[in-house]
């Protein structure tokens, strides 16, 4: 008779801790930052396409070159908050920021 194999499952958080690093380590902070920038880039690209704008047209609306928009969308460039706000205003998209300080959520829209 064949013995059943036990399969161990892990949560995403446990896998991140194990393979990337625990919360607070420089490796984990870098991973979370890059993930946030990737999500932001995808949001910009999706909103731009929904408005039927090219990267060049969006760049003209906020006063930057097409290359800057491309870099924002592909997460190869960190953007200033000012640039991000300009992009979303040009796209007529509502934005809000959540900041968590010691178990208190602050939200700015």
């Amino acid at each position: 008779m064949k013995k059943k194999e036990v399969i161990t499952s892990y949560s995403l958080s446990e896998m991140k801790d194990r393979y990337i690093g625990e919360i607070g380590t420089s490796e984990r902070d870098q991973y979370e930052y890059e993930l946030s920038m990737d999500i932001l880039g995808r949001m910009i690209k999706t909103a731009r396409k929904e408005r039927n704008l090219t990267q060049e047209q969006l760049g003209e609306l906020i006063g930057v070159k097409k290359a800057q928009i491309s870099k924002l969308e592909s997460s190869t460039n960190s953007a200033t908050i000012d640039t991000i706000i300009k992009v979303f205003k040009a796209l007529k998209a509502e934005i809000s920021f959540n900041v968590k300080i010691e178990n208190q959520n602050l939200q700015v829209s």
Side-chain angles (χ1 to χ4, degrees), residues 26-86:
S26 61
E27 294 85 2
R28 182 69 171 265
D29 289 346
Q30 182 65 29
Y31 166 80
E32 297 292 344
Y33 172 78
E34 289 173 6
L35 181 61
S36 296
M37 291 305 294
D38 184 57
I39 292 168
L40 180 62
R42 289 177 190 213
M43 289 171 30
I44 291 169
K45 185 175 187 174
T46 299
R48 176 182 60 78
K49 286 185 170 189
E50 285 182 12
R51 299 290 187 257
N52 295 314
L53 293 171
T54 65
Q55 290 177 338
E56 187 172 354
Q57 290 169 326
L58 178 56
E60 288 172 4
L61 287 173
I62 66 167
V64 300
K65 301 231 183 254
K66 174 188 180 260
Q68 177 72 20
I69 301 301
S70 177
K71 288 177 182 178
L72 285 173
E73 290 182 355
S74 63
S75 307
T76 58
N77 186 358
S78 59
T80 65
I81 294 293
D82 185 49
T83 301
I84 293 167
I85 291 171
K86 284 179 184 179

